[in-house]
Amino acid sequence: MLNVEAQVENLVREVVEAEGFELVQVQVELRGGAPQVLRVYIDKPGGVSISDCADVSRQIGVLLDVEDFIPVQYVLEVSSPGIERPLFQEADYVRFKGKEVRLTTIEKIENRRNFVGVIRDFSSGLVALDCDGKLYSIPFEKIKKANLVYRFK
């Protein structure tokens, strides 16, 4: 299904960006015998409204119906990545420099896999993460999952 994700991403990116949104991620979820879910995450400064998601969903839906390259039945969902937005690309770490993240690595780095800290820098494929008063250098390719941390005030 990764090929479908890449095809959808290439197809919808221009439409999403033309509407003033960032295409955060395209995700295909397999669900046993039920229809599959095709999720498209969009974002913009200030956040995304339900109306924004509905408008983009209509446009993407028409485009996917015309191209008709997905060989199975699916449900299209267009959504905001949420306040604890996942970080997927290297550019996300540059954009959210100074923000707190929760990060899990594929393998242990300095005897740990789970980190919560502030992104101090990102360069040459390395995230400089200030965690528990220590600066960790985490290779981007070793990151399994990362999300922004939202603290309620």
Side-chain angles (χ1 to χ4, degrees):
M1 280 309 185
L2 291 177
N3 190 29
V4 170
E5 288 173 354
Q7 285 181 281
V8 171
E9 185 174 325
N10 289 335
L11 183 65
V12 305
R13 179 174 301 283
E14 188 173 322
V15 170
V16 169
E17 290 176 354
E19 292 299 312
F21 299 98
E22 171 194 0
L23 180 62
V24 175
Q25 186 189 33
V26 172
Q27 188 178 62
V28 175
E29 182 179 311
L30 305 175
R31 291 187 176 173
Q36 319 216 332
V37 178
L38 172 59
R39 261 189 215 91
V40 177
Y41 292 101
I42 61 172
D43 203 3
K44 71 177 180 183
V48 175
S49 70
I50 292 172
S51 176
D52 293 334
C53 292
D55 292 343
V56 171
S57 179
R58 279 190 288 280
Q59 291 183 45
I60 290 173
V62 169
L63 191 56
L64 290 170
D65 286 346
V66 168
E67 294 297 322
D68 195 29
F69 63 86
I70 301 175
V72 295
Q73 184 179 4
Y74 64 93
V75 174
L76 174 64
E77 291 180 3
V78 176
S79 177
S80 159
I83 58 175
E84 290 202 334
R85 174 193 168 133
L87 306 181
F88 297 109
Q89 302 169 9
E90 292 185 2
D92 293 337
Y93 294 88
V94 174
R95 175 179 175 187
F96 294 109
K97 181 178 172 181
K99 299 291 185 185
E100 187 176 16
V101 296
R102 181 175 292 109
L103 186 144
T104 302
T105 57
I106 297 168
E107 58 191 43
K108 287 186 177 183
I109 295 175
E110 295 191 41
N111 225 18
R112 64 190 292 180
R113 291 184 60 223
N114 297 302
F115 302 83
V116 176
V118 176
I119 300 171
R120 293 294 176 214
D121 195 19
F122 182 87
S123 64
S124 302
L126 295 173
V127 177
L129 189 69
D130 186 349
C131 179
D132 301 327
K134 182 176 179 181
L135 195 61
Y136 290 87
S137 190
I138 302 173
F140 176 75
E141 70 272 4
K142 302 288 184 188
I143 298 171
K144 180 178 182 180
K145 181 179 179 181
N147 293 75
L148 293 176
V149 173
Y150 183 80
R151 303 276 182 202
F152 292 95
K153 301 195 185 231

